[in-house]
Amino acid sequence: MHNFYPIEELKLHPNYLSASEILNSILRSEIPDKKDLNKVFGNLATHITYNLEKHFEAFPVKTENIRKHTAGPSVIAEARARLAMNEEYAALHSKILTNEIPGIDNIYPIYGEYSDTVQTITALYKTYRLKRKCEIPAAAHPSRVGGLVHTLGFDIPGSHKFCTIAFLHDCIEDLIRFEKRAHFDHYGLKGLGMFINDYIPEELQPNVRILTNHYSLILNYLNYLLTISDTQVNRKNLLKNLENLSSMDWSLNEKVIKLHTLLDENDLTEPVLVNAKWLCYKDLYIREMADDALAMSDFRTFEIKAIDLTDNAHGSGALSMTDRLRNIIKLGIWASQGYRLHTSWSPTNNFIEELFEYALNYSEHIVIKDFLQPGLKQDLFASALFKIEELKSVFYTDRSYEKLFSKENNQPAEESMHTS
């Protein structure tokens, strides 16, 4: 196991090994050893056992599918460590963190011929005072992702194409809603093409479009329409408004139809808008991105999304627990979709292995940390069980899916991910 994960901090706790054994037993649907329970929970061990028995009754699992750790690559994590030592990146990033518009001389070492584009987009982030949940300037995230792609050497010498695509990966979703022009509606959707042509170099546009979650843009627009008409945001009203949008002649029509089909086939719990976005993310957005990568024989853009996801997971401390769990699950979704591609491109395969390991380590950390808290042990244990349930797609593999996948390709499932 590598030293880049937060789980390493917990290993210093004197009860870490016992807490880890408790988690492993729970994943096997077994009551943990009494010595481990007593060491971690003291005189509450009997009550913890009772809670576990009820948990096993309510959530039976196939225990043979427990995900195992790998000693695979840590390409992204190692690049993050190298990036922190890059003085040119540090000079640029310090300007962004202090909400300044960096000069071309600061930007050029990382983004080269696209420095003007990066400066313009950075200025827009500053103009609209966009911040992350942790209160730092929002441009810090694309700066880190672009810096990581630069460090990983995605571009051929003399080119800065992919590191700039990485910097621009969120710019449409983040900025288009602020455009106020005669031909733009709220959230700018009808002026999407104009926004892209104005701010994104033509040769980068296909890649940035792939990275943009258009379903989130559409749902934000629907939320606006329902809000100004004082109409409840529910599944029925979302579907009704999607029908109206599908009759329009515009660039997002295909996405609108797919979104309508997805929402029509699924129930949505409250909060409806948030869960509609999550459904689109799981069932449409990442899958389509993977398919586009395969069709274009361009896995670099798909890999940029992996780097984006690891950066979000790395800095998720300011998020709600629901968002933190979903950030972890997103790592597994990307890796699963990458696995489905069955590519022989070794960098993508390395990322797949790394993101599965990222997800597993972050999942273990978030659960074991609850076990080891000094107070409210029963409550935190119940919370940890909930997290295990939510993170089941990370803690367990879908072997039936992998076997089906390997059968379709006439290769053993275990070999396909490691093809080089």
Side-chain angles (χ1 to χ4, degrees):
M1 193 178 294
H2 303 284
N3 293 323
F4 303 113
Y5 306 113
I7 193 72
E8 297 300 315
E9 300 171 9
L10 291 180
K11 290 184 177 180
L12 300 176
H13 194 287
N15 292 338
Y16 168 79
L17 289 178
S18 291
S20 180
E21 284 301 315
I22 290 171
L23 172 58
N24 290 333
S25 296
I26 293 171
L27 295 177
R28 295 192 301 267
S29 291
E30 298 173 356
I31 299 298
D33 185 88
K34 287 184 178 180
K35 290 183 179 179
D36 290 324
L37 287 172
N38 288 329
K39 192 167 186 180
V40 174
F41 297 105
N43 60 359
L44 295 172
T46 300
H47 304 294
I48 295 298
T49 300
Y50 174 80
N51 288 347
L52 267 179
E53 290 170 346
K54 293 298 181 181
H55 170 77
F56 293 152
E57 291 175 11
F59 298 96
V61 295
K62 295 180 179 178
T63 56
E64 68 270 17
N65 294 347
I66 298 172
R67 189 179 301 281
K68 304 297 183 184
H69 283 288
T70 67
S74 291
V75 181
I76 301 172
E78 290 169 3
R80 183 174 287 107
R82 296 199 304 275
L83 180 62
M85 305 302 293
N86 184 322
E87 180 56 37
E88 291 175 330
Y89 166 79
L92 168 59
H93 199 61
S94 65
K95 297 282 187 182
I96 290 173
L97 287 172
T98 52
N99 214 24
E100 300 175 58
I101 301 173
I104 296 298
D105 56 329
N106 289 124
I107 300 172
Y108 192 86
I110 308 297
Y111 298 103
E113 67 274 26
Y114 296 110
S115 295
D116 287 340
T117 296
V118 171
Q119 186 182 56
T120 299
I121 295 298
T122 304
L124 288 175
Y125 274 98
K126 173 181 169 61
T127 297
Y128 300 125
R129 299 183 177 90
L130 299 185
K131 293 182 178 182
R132 302 280 283 175
K133 291 287 180 67
C134 59
E135 293 298 319
I136 68 172
H141 169 64
S143 174
R144 292 193 301 264
V145 177
L148 283 168
V149 170
H150 174 77
T151 303
L152 286 162
F154 275 29
D155 291 299
I156 61 174
S159 172
H160 302 80
K161 174 183 175 180
F162 285 108
C163 62
T164 306
I165 290 167
F167 183 86
L168 298 173
H169 77 276
D170 273 342
C171 72
I172 297 175
E173 293 176 62
D174 287 345
L175 300 170
I176 196 170
R177 66 186 187 273
F178 297 105
E179 289 288 306
K180 308 296 182 187
R181 310 190 203 177
H183 299 294
F184 278 60
D185 54 3
H186 195 81
Y187 284 99
L189 288 191
K190 293 178 183 176
L192 180 62
M194 188 185 300
F195 178 92
I196 291 172
N197 288 332
D198 283 353
Y199 293 114
I200 302 173
E202 184 177 0
E203 66 274 19
L204 307 186
Q205 290 178 12
N207 310 76
V208 177
R209 284 181 183 270
I210 288 172
L211 288 163
T212 300
N213 187 344
H214 293 92
Y215 298 106
S216 182
L217 290 175
I218 295 167
L219 286 166
N220 284 338
Y221 180 52
L222 292 177
N223 183 53
Y224 164 72
L225 293 178
L226 293 171
T227 300
I228 62 172
S229 63
D230 196 24
T231 305
Q232 184 180 1
V233 179
N234 57 33
R235 177 175 170 274
K236 178 183 176 181
N237 290 329
L238 288 175
L239 286 170
K240 181 179 179 180
N241 279 269
L242 280 169
E243 289 170 5
N244 295 334
L245 292 184
S246 66
S247 65
M248 295 168 51
D249 181 20
W250 65 331
S251 62
L252 293 176
N253 197 46
E254 182 182 346
K255 303 286 188 187
V256 168
I257 293 171
K258 287 183 178 180
L259 178 53
H260 185 282
T261 300
L262 182 67
L263 299 188
D264 191 42
E265 293 174 348
N266 291 273
D267 294 327
L268 290 174
T269 58
E270 293 287 348
V272 168
L273 186 70
V274 171
N275 287 319
K277 289 183 179 182
W278 181 234
L279 188 63
C280 290
Y281 193 97
K282 293 190 299 178
D283 292 4
L284 294 175
Y285 172 53
I286 297 296
R287 174 178 283 272
E288 289 178 3
M289 188 185 299
D291 290 341
D292 287 339
L294 189 62
M296 296 172 64
S297 296
D298 173 16
F299 294 99
R300 287 307 196 194
T301 302
F302 185 56
E303 291 164 9
I304 287 171
K305 188 61 187 178
I307 296 166
D308 168 40
L309 292 173
T310 60
D311 186 75
N312 280 328
H314 200 71
S316 62
L319 299 178
S320 69
M321 184 52 63
T322 296
D323 287 339
R324 289 175 68 189
L325 295 177
R326 287 185 172 179
N327 269 359
I328 295 170
I329 295 168
K330 284 178 179 180
L331 297 168
I333 291 172
W334 183 93
S336 295
Q337 289 301 324
Y339 189 94
R340 182 178 61 84
L341 295 177
H342 193 55
T343 175
S344 60
W345 176 244
S346 58
T348 298
N349 289 331
N350 288 338
F351 279 18
I352 291 167
E353 207 168 345
E354 182 169 2
L355 261 71
F356 272 137
E357 187 66 9
Y358 251 102
L360 184 55
N361 274 279
Y362 275 82
S363 297
E364 289 181 345
H365 172 264
I366 210 167
V367 172
I368 293 176
K369 186 176 181 181
D370 277 353
F371 290 171
L372 294 176
Q373 292 300 309
L376 300 175
K377 283 188 169 293
Q378 281 184 280
D379 300 79
L380 288 168
F381 182 75
S383 177
L385 292 180
F386 164 78
K387 290 164 188 170
I388 292 171
E389 295 159 16
E390 292 293 297
L391 295 167
K392 59 182 179 295
S393 64
V394 175
F395 281 123
Y396 300 94
T397 65
D398 187 351
R399 288 297 180 186
S400 60
Y401 170 79
E402 292 178 8
K403 288 177 182 177
L404 174 62
F405 172 69
S406 62
K407 182 178 179 181
E408 289 174 350
N409 292 278
N410 297 315
Q411 282 200 19
E414 291 297 331
E415 293 180 5
S416 61
M417 197 172 71
H418 302 281
T419 306
S420 59

